[in-house]
Amino acid sequence: MTGTGAPAASLQPARPRWRETLGLLARNPTAAFATVVLILIVVVALFDETFAPQGPNEQDIPNRLAAPSWSHPFGTDDLGRDILSRIILGASVSLKVGFLAVGFAMVVGTTVGLLAGYYSRWIGDVLMRVMDMLFAFPAVLLAIAILAVRGPGAVNSALGIGIVYVPIFARVTRASVLGVREEVYVRASRSVGASDWRILTRHILPNAAPPIIVQTSISLAFAVLAEAALSFLGLGTQRPNPSWGLMLAEGRGYIDLAWWIAFFPGMAIFVTVLCFNLLGDGLRDVLDPRQRTLMAGSGR
């Protein structure tokens, strides 16, 4: 029998976990700032033609190599193209490649990690040895080798980068599954005859998800950086399409004469990669049970 003096808070429903997570993330000023900046970058990338003052290849020959001004806030390049417009339009290319690559790596790597962690005998051993072979190759060299076979381009860049990051997601997922699969609720589900598919999707994956979410944010940072590197080398986005890495390559020959051609695309890459890393650090603090308890208790 419940006493009449029971606190009212005990009668209130528990707060949803996702709302609690967002609340803790919002209390982290660094992660909150990075999230706001990333949302702005994504919005600009989605509505690039709305925000771009000019077309990506619209030329103003009399004002070629013009320094930053009111008419061209980021200056113009050697063909008189507006740098600001090309950065805005290049954001969609860089983010599209990054999200496609990480999405592919997350789906394939998480599936491999789930199977390797749950079936820990020969199936898991075979799958992880394949992942180890992929992981043994230097990341950029493996992406370059894939592009050498399939040819340059944004889609092939996404595929190459995605294959590179599959082993990382597989390792992270497998480590999480190994820590979850012997929990009481998993053994209880197995004892009542639940199928492996139900156990994996309803019990193991949701509880193994936090490290995967953190890895996704961090991988997005490196995917954007890898896309810029491949485009810089001429293996990613091809001219005349705008891309941050390609703009860096075009501006390196004018670094002494027109520093703004390479500086502003470089800053776009720097800010995007930094914000993804800061968001990943914030997610790691929020999703770690020990840090989560400390943050909730301290009122952060």
Side-chain angles (χ1 to χ4, degrees):
M1 180 176 180
T2 304
T4 57
S10 62
L11 302 178
Q12 296 177 356
R15 191 180 183 187
R17 184 178 177 86
W18 66 269
R19 290 185 60 184
E20 182 184 357
T21 300
L22 291 178
L24 292 174
L25 190 64
R27 295 175 196 167
N28 185 330
T30 303
F33 174 77
T35 302
V36 171
V37 174
L38 287 174
I39 291 174
L40 291 176
I41 293 174
V42 171
V43 170
V44 169
L46 290 175
F47 303 98
D48 50 2
E49 295 183 357
T50 302
F51 291 101
Q54 299 179 9
N57 298 309
E58 184 177 339
Q59 299 181 8
D60 185 7
I61 299 299
N63 288 320
R64 60 188 298 269
L65 298 178
S69 61
W70 287 110
S71 57
H72 300 286
F74 287 1
T76 62
D77 62 8
D78 57 317
L79 297 176
R81 297 174 296 187
D82 184 64
I83 299 295
L84 175 60
S85 299
R86 289 180 63 78
I87 288 177
I88 291 174
L89 294 162
S92 61
V93 176
S94 297
L95 291 183
K96 179 181 72 174
V97 171
F99 279 109
L100 286 176
V102 175
F104 172 82
M106 180 178 64
V107 171
V108 177
T110 300
T111 302
V112 172
L114 280 173
L115 297 176
Y118 189 73
Y119 302 103
S120 59
R121 295 184 179 178
W122 67 271
I123 295 179
D125 291 339
V126 170
L127 290 175
M128 293 312 298
R129 296 299 77 78
V130 174
M131 295 297 102
D132 289 341
M133 286 189 291
L134 284 176
F135 199 71
F137 288 96
V140 176
L141 291 181
L142 180 58
I144 290 175
I146 294 171
L147 288 173
V149 174
R150 295 187 55 86
V155 176
N156 289 338
S157 295
L159 178 61
I161 297 170
I163 292 175
V164 165
Y165 286 106
V166 165
I168 299 176
F169 278 94
R171 286 188 167 195
V172 170
T173 304
R174 179 177 180 271
S176 298
V177 171
L178 290 176
V180 171
R181 68 177 185 177
E182 297 301 329
E183 293 289 342
V184 175
Y185 53 86
V186 175
R187 286 184 289 174
S189 298
R190 192 181 295 119
S191 66
V192 297
S195 64
D196 290 346
W197 171 257
R198 182 178 178 83
I199 293 174
L200 284 171
T201 57
R202 294 291 299 274
H203 300 290
I204 292 182
L205 181 58
N207 289 281
I212 301 173
I213 295 173
V214 175
Q215 184 60 49
T216 299
S217 178
I218 296 174
S219 295
L220 282 170
F222 288 102
V224 171
L225 200 59
E227 189 280 331
L230 293 174
S231 296
F232 183 87
L233 295 174
L235 297 173
T237 305
Q238 300 296 297
R239 293 181 175 88
N241 298 320
S243 169
W244 293 343
L246 186 58
M247 294 175 70
L248 278 176
E250 294 172 345
R252 62 180 172 176
Y254 298 90
I255 196 68
D256 294 329
L257 180 63
W259 55 268
W260 52 89
I261 299 179
F263 174 78
F264 290 110
M267 286 302 298
I269 297 171
F270 170 76
V271 170
T272 304
V273 172
L274 177 64
C275 288
F276 274 124
N277 281 324
L278 292 177
L279 177 60
D281 289 340
L283 287 171
R284 181 178 56 197
D285 293 339
V286 169
L287 296 174
D288 185 349
R290 290 169 296 180
Q291 292 290 334
R292 187 188 189 95
T293 303
L294 292 174
M295 293 173 67
S298 63
R300 285 181 55 185

